[in-house]
Amino acid sequence: MTKYIFVTGGVTSSLGKGIIAASLAKLLQARGFTTTIQKFDPYINIDPGTLNPYEHGECYVTEDGAETDLDLGHYERYLNTFTSQANNVTTGRIYQHVINKEREGAYQGKTVQVIPHITDEIKRRMLLLGEDNQFDIVITELGGTVGDIESLPYIEAVRQLKWEMGNENCIVIHLTLIPYLKAAKELKTKPTQHSVKMMSEHGLTPDILVCRTEEPLYKDLKRKVALFCNVTQDAVIEALDADTIYSVPLEMMREKLDVICLDKLNMPMGDEPDLSKWKEFLNKLRYPKSKVVIGLIGKYVELQDAYKSILEALIHAGALNECKVEIRNIHSEYLTKENAAEKLENLDAVLVAPGFGSRGIEGKVEAIRFARENKVPFFGICLGMQMACVEFARNVLKMPKAHSTEMDPDTDQGVICMMEDQKAVTLLGGTMRLGSYDCELQPDSLTASIYGNTAIKERHRHRYEFNNEYQEMYEKAGMTAAGRNPKTNLVEIVEIKDHPFYVGVQFHPEYKSTVENPHPLFVAFVKAAKESQESRSGVVKRTSEKTTA
Ligand code: GLN
C-alpha cells in the first residue's frame, strides 16, 4: 500500500519546502523505495504557464508537456526521474474540474460547496499518483504558508486523509523557521509554536517539524519545540542554512529525517542509503579546479528564479568539468551596439536565455553578434536560438529588416515565424508547442558529436519557428540546421562551423539536466568556455612573453 507524506510550510514563505521534499525523496529513493513528489499550489491560475516569471519564477515543462511550478524541476534534478501533468495541481484546476462536473449535472441537484466537493476533489488528486501502487511513497508539497486563506481547503483535505488512512499511512512534516535574534543572541521558538497552533486549530497536527535555522538547535531547545508543538523529541529536525541546495539531502540524512519518516509510517528501513555518487558531485562542486565566467543575457536576470533550470544545469555541468561557473547577469534591455563590447568583455562564454515579447530583444541580438564575431562560445536557448537566426540574417545575409514575426508582425523578412498550427490558437494557457519531441541530428554536426547520437528527444515551449523558406541562404552562408524534427522538418538546432562553439536550440535542454545526468549540451558548453579562457590566456601569455622579450 502506498504511504503518503505531506509537507506544509509555516511562519514564512521561501523556506525551501521544495528542497526539503526533494531531499527526503532522494533519501527514500536511495533506500530502495519508489518515491514521487507532487505539488499542490493554492492559486487560481490553471497552471503557471500564463504567469509572468517575476510573479512565480520559471515555468518548468515536463516530458508530457505540462507547464508546472519550478519545484518540479528540483524533484526531477534530485530524483533523476520524470514528473508529469499529474504532479502539479492548482486550485484553479480543482475548481475547473468541479465546476465542469456541476455543469454536466454530476452532483444531481446538490449544492456544490468547498466542503465536501472541493476537498473531495483535492483528496482524489492527492491519492491519484498512488492509485496503481507504482510508488511506495508519495510526497505532497503544499504550496503557500499555513494561515493563508487559500490553503485552508488543502489543510482540511489532509486532515481528512489522515483520519481516513490512519497516522501510520499518512504523516505531515511541517517546515518552519526558528529565527535567531542577533541582539538577544537567542533562537526563538514562538513563531513555530504559533504556526503549529494555527494548524491544530484546523484539526491537523504535524508529525515532524523541520526547522530552518541560521544557528544549530541545541538539545533543550529541540525538547522545548517538541513539547509545545506536540511532536516526539526525535521529530524536531534541524535544517541549518546550507552553502548549496545540493548538500541538503546529506544534512537531512545526518538528521535522520528519512529514518523518522519510515518509523512513523511503520515501514521497514530498506537499504542503507548509498549517496556516494551524490557526494562525489558535491565534492566536485565545492572544490573546483578552475573557474569560468558565463554571461547570462536575459530580461529577467534580476530575479534568479526566472532562469532556475538553466542555472542548475550550469551547476551540474560545472561540477562535471570540475570548474566553478560564475554567472554574470547581463540585462538585455540595457545592452546596445555601443556598450556590448564593454559589457561582454572578458566573458568566457555567452548564453542567451529564452523569453517572450519585444522587451530587451535588441540586446539579445547584440550579444549574439558579439559572440559570433569574437568567437566567444555561444549557446542560445529557444528565443536565444531564434535571435541567433535574426542576427545572422541581419548582419551576414544583409537582411536589415529580418526579425521574428512575434516582435515585428509586419516585416517582409520574417526569418522566424509563427508555426502553422499556432495560427488558429486563440487561448493563451497551455496552447504552445509543449513537451517532448523527437529531433534528428546531422551526423557531422557538433551537437551529434556532443550527444554521441543522432536521435534525441527534448522538451519544448514555443509558438514560433525558423522559416524554412530561407534555409538555403543560411546554409550557403555557413549557418546550418544541425537538427530537425523528423516529422515536421521544424529546425531544432542551428550551428555555425567556423566558430569554437555556436549552438542555438529551439528546445529547452535545461529541463532535462539532473545531478546524475548533467545535460551533454551544457557540459560541452562549459568545456568550451574553459577552452576559450585557456586559449585567450595563452594568447595573452604569448603576447606578454613577446613584450618582455
Ligand atoms: N517567444 C518564442 C516563441 O514562442 C520563444 C519562446 C521561448 O523562448 N520559450 O517561439
Side-chain angles (χ1 to χ4, degrees), residues 2-10 16-26 28 34-42 69 71-72 75 79 83 85-91 94 119 121-131 135-144 146 151 153-159 161-162 165 169-175 199 204 206-208 210 257 261 265:
T2 304
K3 306 258 182 173
Y4 293 85
I5 301 177
F6 291 90
V7 182
T8 60
K17 275 198 301 279
I19 301 295
I20 293 292
S23 301
L24 172 60
K26 181 80 220 163
L28 295 170
T34 49
T35 311
T36 190
I37 324 183
Q38 54 183 348
K39 178 154 191 206
F40 280 64
D41 277 310
D69 186 81
D71 272 330
L72 270 80
Y75 307 162
L79 293 183
T83 55
Q85 183 74 67
N87 293 68
N88 193 194
V89 177
T90 67
T91 292
I94 303 271
T119 44
E121 178 56 15
I122 294 176
K123 276 159 54 183
R124 188 184 72 81
R125 301 247 181 183
M126 282 175 166
L127 301 181
L128 215 54
L129 287 172
E131 246 168 23
F135 297 108
D136 300 320
I137 299 166
V138 174
I139 301 179
T140 305
E141 177 190 348
L142 295 188
V146 168
S151 296
Y154 293 93
I155 299 289
E156 170 60 12
V158 178
R159 184 195 70 76
L161 283 178
K162 224 168 149 41
M165 289 198 279
N169 294 315
C170 175
I171 58 168
V172 175
I173 299 177
H174 189 56
L175 176 62
M199 235 166 108
L204 188 64
D207 299 276
I208 297 170
V210 175
L257 177 61
C261 285
L265 288 169

Side-chain angles (χ1 to χ4, degrees), residues 354-356 381-383 386 406 461-464 508:
F356 296 84
I381 300 181
C382 207
L383 185 64
Q386 296 177 351
E406 178 182 2
R461 185 173 187 247
H462 65 120
R463 291 187 202 281
Y464 293 81
H508 291 262

Side-chain angles (χ1 to χ4, degrees), residues 353-357 361 364 381-387 404 406-407 416-419 422 432-433 460-465 505-508 510-511:
F356 296 84
I361 208 74
K364 288 189 170 173
I381 300 181
C382 207
L383 185 64
M385 169 269 195
Q386 296 177 351
M387 287 310 113
S404 162
E406 178 182 2
M407 288 79 194
I416 302 293
C417 58
M418 190 179 265
M419 285 180 278
Q422 284 289 325
M432 281 188 246
R433 179 174 181 247
H460 299 75
R461 185 173 187 247
H462 65 120
R463 291 187 202 281
Y464 293 81
E465 65 176 331
V505 291
Q506 184 58 79
F507 49 80
H508 291 262
E510 69 275 20
Y511 294 143

Side-chain angles (χ1 to χ4, degrees), residues 157-369:
V158 178
R159 184 195 70 76
Q160 291 184 18
L161 283 178
K162 224 168 149 41
W163 184 84
E164 286 162 10
M165 289 198 279
N167 286 338
E168 71 285 3
N169 294 315
C170 175
I171 58 168
V172 175
I173 299 177
H174 189 56
L175 176 62
T176 176
L177 177 73
I178 307 274
Y180 179 71
L181 292 192
K182 281 206 175 77
K185 292 197 177 65
E186 251 184 285
L187 285 162
K188 291 294 182 191
T189 64
K190 199 72 87 188
T192 296
Q193 293 180 42
H194 282 306
S195 147
V196 170
K197 192 170 159 221
M198 201 165 355
M199 235 166 108
S200 48
E201 276 166 13
H202 301 294
L204 188 64
T205 43
D207 299 276
I208 297 170
L209 290 172
V210 175
C211 306
R212 275 295 300 273
T213 172
E214 282 174 63
E215 295 289 323
L217 305 182
Y218 47 92
K219 209 170 156 207
D220 278 355
L221 186 121
K222 277 192 171 183
R223 193 178 169 277
K224 182 175 163 191
V225 173
L227 175 67
F228 291 120
C229 297
N230 218 9
V231 298
T232 53
Q233 222 169 308
D234 62 349
V236 179
I237 303 283
E238 167 190 293
L240 262 178
D241 290 355
D243 60 337
T244 153
I245 57 167
Y246 294 107
S247 70
V248 180
L250 299 174
E251 292 304 313
M252 289 304 104
M253 184 158 82
R254 190 177 46 81
E255 283 287 302
K256 300 195 167 51
L257 177 61
D258 51 339
V259 173
I260 293 157
C261 285
L262 291 169
D263 184 47
K264 294 210 182 280
L265 288 169
N266 208 6
M267 287 177 86
M269 287 297 145
D271 314 320
E272 243 340 273
D274 175 14
L275 290 187
S276 48
K277 267 191 169 168
W278 191 278
K279 284 182 191 158
E280 201 181 303
F281 159 78
L282 201 59
N283 256 339
K284 285 188 179 166
L285 182 66
R286 281 198 173 128
Y287 308 107
K289 293 183 178 145
S290 55
K291 183 180 103 173
V292 291
V293 183
I294 294 183
L296 174 65
I297 324 292
K299 64 172 172 176
Y300 302 111
V301 286
E302 63 275 39
L303 184 85
Q304 288 301 292
D305 274 358
Y307 301 116
K308 195 80 202 160
S309 294
I310 293 179
L311 297 175
E312 299 304 325
L314 285 169
I315 290 176
H316 307 155
L320 201 85
N321 278 290
E322 300 190 64
C323 166
K324 180 180 164 54
V325 177
E326 187 181 300
I327 302 294
R328 192 181 313 159
N329 291 310
I330 297 168
H331 208 303
S332 56
E333 224 180 328
Y334 310 120
L335 193 68
T336 61
K337 202 179 197 105
E338 290 68 39
N339 67 19
E342 177 202 335
K343 288 207 181 226
L344 305 174
E345 197 187 3
N346 289 332
L347 289 178
D348 299 316
V350 166
L351 191 155
V352 178
F356 296 84
S358 299
R359 186 166 69 93
I361 208 74
E362 293 307 320
K364 288 189 170 173
V365 173
E366 277 315 313
I368 298 164
R369 183 188 57 76

Side-chain angles (χ1 to χ4, degrees), residues 55-75:
E55 291 278 320
H56 214 67
E58 164 191 280
C59 170
Y60 185 77
V61 179
T62 57
E63 279 293 292
D64 65 349
E67 296 180 286
T68 70
D69 186 81
L70 59 79
D71 272 330
L72 270 80
H74 289 310
Y75 307 162

